Amino acid sequence: MTIQVSPIKALTDNYIWAIHDKQHCYVVDPGEADPVNEFIAKHQLILSGILITHHHGDHVGGLLPLQKQHNVPAWGPEDDRIAGELTNVYEDDVVTLKELESQLKVLFIPGHTLTHIAFYNDSWLFSGDALFSLGCGRMFEGNPAMFVSSLNKIKALPDSLAVYCGHEYTQDNCRFALTVSPNSNRLKEFCSHINDLRRKKQPTLPSSLLIEQQLNPFLRTDDPELQKNLEAQHNISIKDEISCFAVLRAWKDRF
Ligand SMILES: [Zn+2]
């Protein structure tokens, strides 16, 4: 049985990720119900469950209507702001996708929100809005130390993982990463590949954790060269990866 992960486009630039074989389907972060219903109808799939990474409306908006229509279980973080019937999951918990004979493990990664989680196994990482390709989420509820510690947990996962993020932000993140590290040829190559994909209106995801470890500035806040660039660009001194992250995040917010 081969399991596929397919993008379902939602709202402006969200991806709902569908984990499915030829019969059963689980979805991650359904910001809307309609695109999920269209996807499962088109591919003649049965919705078997829902996974939620964090409470934002563009990730949970479809949860309640989908549960009403399909009567399926859902797993997500403990957070009163999520409307739906959730089984709360915590760091290192395992979610079994019974119909697909697969499992996902939970990683607690606050920073974008205080209760954000990710799901991963030996093949996939569903990072929600914590990690984007070449970027990370806005720091709505957390602080730099918390966000760095979460990103370091992600960075420590196997670099072979395919990374499924919540938004199509890669092209914009490329512009920022190239401004931070204008001399990186690998980054230039990667970004021209991303531009090609977007010209053809194709998703830039999944990324791989190896690419993110090597090219994502928010996973390289301990890199002396990146720190040196930032110090020169902003005329400041950076003492550690937390202050490096704080400068990068604030810069990206107004970029
Ligand atoms: Zn969010």
Side-chain angles (χ1 to χ4, degrees), residues 54 56 58-59 112-113 116 129 140 167:
H54 69 294
H56 285 155
D58 60 328
H59 294 252
H112 175 65
T113 71
H116 199 300
D129 286 355
F140 285 120
H167 290 268

Side-chain angles (χ1 to χ4, degrees), residues 64-209:
L64 209 54
L66 286 171
Q67 282 197 300
K68 276 193 182 144
Q69 290 163 44
H70 301 275
N71 191 27
V72 289
W75 298 266
E78 183 180 341
D79 194 316
D80 294 345
R81 298 168 291 188
I82 302 173
E85 284 285 314
L86 272 194
T87 299
N88 293 140
V89 287
Y90 305 89
E91 177 96 331
D92 291 336
D93 279 356
V94 172
V95 176
T96 299
L97 314 180
K98 205 172 57 182
E99 284 81 354
L100 298 178
E101 293 172 25
S102 297
Q103 293 189 318
L104 288 167
K105 216 167 159 183
V106 175
L107 198 66
F108 181 56
I109 46 166
H112 175 65
T113 71
L114 287 179
T115 61
H116 199 300
I117 58 173
F119 299 94
Y120 71 101
N121 61 17
D122 293 338
S123 309
W124 321 309
L125 166 67
F126 297 96
S127 61
D129 286 355
L131 182 77
F132 296 124
S133 183
L134 294 199
C136 74
R138 277 183 189 259
M139 196 169 58
F140 285 120
E141 297 172 13
N143 59 55
M146 180 191 280
F147 217 144
V148 167
S149 138
S150 295
L151 292 174
N152 281 340
K153 277 157 91 171
I154 291 176
K155 204 167 142 183
L157 297 173
D159 61 17
S160 57
L161 295 190
V163 183
Y164 298 89
C165 319
H167 290 268
E168 181 58 71
Y169 287 163
T170 318
Q171 201 168 29
D172 195 45
N173 290 339
C174 271
R175 283 199 307 118
F176 180 69
L178 280 169
T179 309
V180 176
S181 302
N183 300 321
S184 165
N185 287 327
R186 289 223 41 226
L187 188 60
K188 283 181 203 164
E189 272 168 41
F190 179 75
C191 290
S192 97
H193 165 64
I194 293 299
N195 290 337
D196 282 347
L197 287 174
R198 293 313 290 158
R199 255 195 302 276
K200 296 175 200 150
K201 300 204 177 355
Q202 286 174 12
T204 63
L205 302 171
S207 179
S208 80
L209 200 52

